[in-house]
Amino acid sequence: MHIIESGNVAAASGVKLARVQVIAAYPITPQTPLTERLSEFVDSGEMDAEYIPVESEHSALAVCIAAASTGARAFTATSANGLLYMNEQLHWAAGARLPIVMCVVNRGIGAPWTVWNDHQDAISQRDTGWIQLYCADHQQIIDTVLKAFYLAETVSVPVMVCYDGYILSHTYMPFDVPDQAAVDKFLPPFTPAYALTPGQPANLNTVTLPDIRPDVRGNMAPGYMEIRQNLHADMRDAIDVLADVNKKFETVFGRNGDPYIESYQCEDAEFVAICLGSLSYHLRDVVDILRSQNISVGVMGLRLYRPFPDQAIIDALSGRKGVIVFEKALSYGNQGALYGDIKAALYPAAARPVIHNYILGLGGREIKTDQLVEALKNSCTQADAIGDAPQWIGLKL
Amino acid sequence: MNQDIIKIRWHGRGGQGAITAAKIVANAAFVSGFSGVVMAPTFGTERRGAPVLTSLQISRQKIYDLSPITQPDMVVVLDHLIIEEVDVTAGLKSGGLVIINSTEKPEFFDFKNMTVATADVTHIAANAGLPRGIVNTGIIGAFAKASGLIGMDILTRAIEDEFTGKHPEKNSLAARATYEKTLVGGK
């Protein structure tokens, strides 16, 4: 059934349909309406879950870690500095291989304070060992929440479902809420390989020595470095697993698309704009304008950021004349993080395109269509004249 | 971009229910066959009583640009006093429509090259049995009459769906009664 609601309600609806058992969260704008809605679901009995209010984001994730360790399906959500406050527990959840799902409602980071949207919060946590998926509209938010649990529980790696604060979280648009029966068909109950129970107490994730050594049963156990390599290998496997999850989702719900890159007008495009989140949809209008001026350009929205789908990037971008990376985040003193990742992926490509980087929309700075048209047009018409350093759109110096 | 989008800006005061009004119209528009519907409240620091605005875009196709609207086709004003505080016609297209909750006739307002529609929603809604000052459903009737975009039958259902358990009939009656009493001026 289609409803018109906010992006936060789309996320909450997905969490409810996923039959999440434990929710722990601390309110922070623009995530708050999502967890408020979940607390209402639990309070009214519509959701059979434990809602645990906590005093901080660090505790929110600590509670989810404990819940997931006992085999419960756990969820939390946050934004900006709340995500940063979780940082230590983010690494812990990934290292402990717990399939927690978290919505990150993307917001700029203080100082100075901002409540508005950019991607610096999630991008700054890209190396915590979490899978990161990005959404472009409300249908993708609810669908991605469902897929995220399946993916997380298949590869035993936690997943962040990222969507733009305000632009998606507080904007209303129509989306389909699937039937519970269909969701149950897609997403079976979580059955962990190992779960902590009161009957069998255990110490988990205790100190490991630099080298491997026998465990209490005398079997050679992996050491710290083997455990890290194992996380990395499973993250790489998650790229293929996501494609399988997408296929299964399509079989049940009849909708989907490419698991890694959502393309528009790219088949014959000499130039391709690429970015994360809802901006890729805004750029569709920009592509239409430039196409009407006979500029051969398309746009791609990257749906999976970690693990990085490098082969899909090579397949999509090798042989193009130019690639233009639009980013709402920055690796200070270097360049946009996504730009660096895409350049690295394209290094072994047979035909490397010219590549440009635009930084825009930080702290909710308005992104105007005519600014995007001008920037993209410049990149398409004077590809060789534009340097490697990131250029800023909408900067008022 | 090659699509017709109708852009409507709603002006109210924090707590007055302009967002709910826009959401009801969004639902009714979707049911009427506008598959592209985007409603975006202003983002940031709303306070009860302060002027707030909400933008609603409706189209026959999916809308991809979610930026705030700067050039509306019509504006809806829930409280006529806001006109003294905010330039409600800012960016309004020439020939655009201004719908105002006011005791005055449309001719009273001097907006150049615009069509003005007025209704005394505050009074009509109170007569429909709503607490005094609840105008966000009544104004939908004025919107329906002046814009002709969506039928009152669909809007009535959308209002009653939104206010299940909170005087659904009184709210929809306020809208229908306002529809009948809305005056639409010349350009």
Side-chain angles (χ1 to χ4, degrees):
Chain A
M1 190 187 78
H2 276 83
I3 63 168
I4 296 178
E5 262 299 349
S6 68
N8 278 329
V9 170
S13 307
V15 172
K16 176 171 166 260
L17 286 166
R19 295 189 187 279
V20 166
Q21 294 160 299
V22 175
I23 302 154
Y26 189 81
I28 183 168
T29 299
Q31 159 266 40
T32 307
L34 157 56
T35 42
E36 278 176 351
R37 184 57 66 102
L38 289 174
S39 70
E40 287 164 16
F41 284 152
V42 174
D43 184 53
S44 67
E46 282 177 84
M47 236 185 127
D48 182 18
E50 195 77 36
Y51 188 100
I52 303 171
V54 286
E55 90 300 344
S56 76
E57 287 85 357
H58 187 277
S59 298
L61 193 49
V63 167
C64 288
I65 287 169
S69 300
T70 69
R73 187 171 279 163
F75 175 84
T76 187
T78 191
S79 299
N81 290 60
L83 179 66
L84 306 189
Y85 195 23
M86 282 182 182
N87 174 271
E88 182 243 357
Q89 297 285 292
L90 289 176
H91 286 274
W92 194 273
R97 306 299 303 270
L98 297 169
I100 298 160
V101 171
M102 167 163 62
C103 282
V104 178
V105 188
N106 297 116
R107 158 181 161 178
I109 290 170
W113 283 120
T114 172
V115 298
W116 290 277
N117 168 249
D118 67 36
H119 290 161
Q120 196 72 36
D121 53 0
I123 294 296
S124 75
Q125 303 304 307
R126 68 169 191 183
D127 295 333
T128 52
W130 283 59
I131 293 167
Q132 285 195 8
L133 302 169
Y134 283 79
C135 307
D137 68 7
H138 294 14
Q139 194 66 61
Q140 289 187 11
I141 292 173
I142 185 169
D143 291 355
T144 304
V145 165
L146 296 173
K147 287 187 232 176
F149 281 104
Y150 195 105
L151 177 64
E153 290 165 14
T154 305
V155 295
S156 297
V157 177
V159 178
M160 291 182 200
V161 176
C162 306
Y163 59 90
D164 289 307
Y166 289 116
I167 299 169
L168 293 180
S169 69
H170 283 58
T171 297
Y172 291 65
M173 64 171 81
F175 57 91
D176 176 55
V177 180
D179 293 339
Q180 184 68 63
V183 174
D184 290 344
K185 200 171 148 196
F186 169 73
L187 184 66
F190 174 36
T191 47
Y194 172 82
L196 195 57
T197 63
Q200 261 191 317
N203 285 322
L204 302 178
N205 299 299
T206 51
V207 175
T208 51
L209 297 178
D211 207 352
I212 58 171
R213 60 171 177 165
D215 64 15
V216 289
R217 293 180 195 84
N219 300 321
M220 201 53 88
Y224 185 88
M225 198 150 123
E226 288 71 31
I227 291 169
R228 282 291 166 271
Q229 187 277 336
N230 186 257
L231 173 61
H232 177 70
D234 285 351
M235 279 282 270
R236 296 302 299 173
D237 284 349
I239 297 173
D240 289 337
V241 173
L242 178 61
D244 296 340
V245 174
N246 248 33
K247 239 177 255 162
K248 183 171 178 194
F249 189 91
E250 192 166 0
T251 313
V252 176
F253 300 101
R255 62 169 171 263
N256 226 323
D258 188 275
Y260 315 122
I261 299 169
E262 192 179 20
S263 299
Y264 178 72
Q265 297 280 20
C266 286
E267 297 78 16
D268 63 340
E270 294 177 345
F271 295 88
V272 170
I274 187 164
C275 63
L276 296 163
S278 62
L279 180 61
S280 69
Y281 276 7
H282 189 173
L283 280 163
R284 288 185 177 205
D285 283 357
V286 175
V287 162
D288 285 347
I289 292 168
L290 293 180
R291 283 270 173 179
S292 74
Q293 299 172 17
N294 294 318
I295 294 173
S296 177
V297 63
V299 60
M300 294 180 179
L302 194 58
R303 304 174 87 170
L304 173 68
Y305 180 57
R306 277 294 178 277
F308 198 65
D310 21 9
Q311 190 56 51
I313 291 287
I314 293 173
D315 295 344
L317 299 179
S318 177
R320 309 278 183 181
K321 267 192 191 164
V323 172
I324 304 97
V325 185
F326 290 85
E327 281 187 84
K328 296 181 183 178
L330 185 58
S331 179
Y332 303 116
N334 190 23
Q335 55 202 9
L338 176 62
Y339 179 64
D341 289 334
I342 289 175
K343 272 205 303 189
L346 289 174
Y347 188 76
R352 286 200 292 266
V354 170
I355 177 162
H356 296 157
N357 191 195
Y358 290 100
I359 306 297
L360 74 175
L362 300 188
R365 175 60 55 85
E366 189 182 348
I367 298 171
K368 294 182 175 152
T369 302
D370 55 1
Q371 294 171 332
L372 294 173
V373 168
E374 189 192 345
L376 195 49
K377 192 173 181 173
N378 281 345
S379 281
C380 295
T381 51
Q382 12 174 357
D384 294 321
I386 297 174
D388 192 49
Q391 302 174 80
W392 296 68
I393 294 177
L395 193 64
K396 297 173 183 175
L397 285 180
Chain B
M1 213 40 152
N2 306 318
Q3 68 183 126
D4 292 325
I5 301 179
I6 301 156
K7 299 176 177 178
I8 310 159
R9 192 169 62 211
W10 300 71
H11 291 271
R13 295 191 182 277
Q16 204 178 14
I19 290 174
T20 305
K23 192 185 157 197
I24 289 166
V25 172
N27 272 301
F30 185 70
V31 173
S32 309
F34 292 96
S35 56
V37 177
V38 171
M39 199 273 279
T42 12
F43 308 142
T45 49
E46 295 83 1
R47 287 158 294 131
R48 190 163 283 269
V52 295
L53 56 89
T54 295
S55 63
L56 173 65
Q57 303 185 67
I58 60 179
S59 170
R60 297 282 172 192
Q61 289 119 32
K62 184 175 170 68
I63 295 167
Y64 287 101
D65 178 1
L66 305 180
S67 321
I69 57 174
T70 51
Q71 293 183 297
D73 299 285
M74 47 189 92
V75 297
V76 184
V77 184
L78 275 69
D79 174 357
H80 67 97
L81 290 173
I82 286 175
I83 294 170
E84 294 167 22
E85 300 171 50
V86 177
D87 180 8
V88 296
T89 58
L92 185 63
K93 290 175 189 164
S94 182
L97 184 58
V98 188
I99 301 157
I100 310 167
N101 170 20
S102 167
T103 54
E104 304 290 349
K105 293 200 164 85
E107 296 73 38
F108 175 83
F109 295 96
D110 183 27
F111 297 120
K112 284 199 175 65
N113 304 318
M114 305 296 175
T115 300
V116 177
T118 61
D120 185 3
V121 184
T122 308
H123 188 71
I124 299 167
N127 279 350
L130 291 174
R132 195 163 171 81
I134 303 293
V135 296
N136 64 337
T137 43
I139 196 77
I140 291 172
F143 160 80
K145 175 76 161 283
S147 71
L149 273 177
I150 304 162
M152 261 326 289
D153 49 338
I154 292 175
L155 285 165
T156 295
R157 238 176 300 142
I159 290 169
E160 292 179 358
D161 286 349
E162 179 68 29
F163 288 95
T164 317
K166 288 186 226 159
H167 311 300
E169 286 83 16
K170 286 177 188 171
N171 275 293
S172 63
L173 175 62
R176 284 196 308 278
T178 306
Y179 181 93
E180 296 303 332
K181 292 185 176 161
T182 298
L183 302 171
V184 183
K187 281 189 186 172

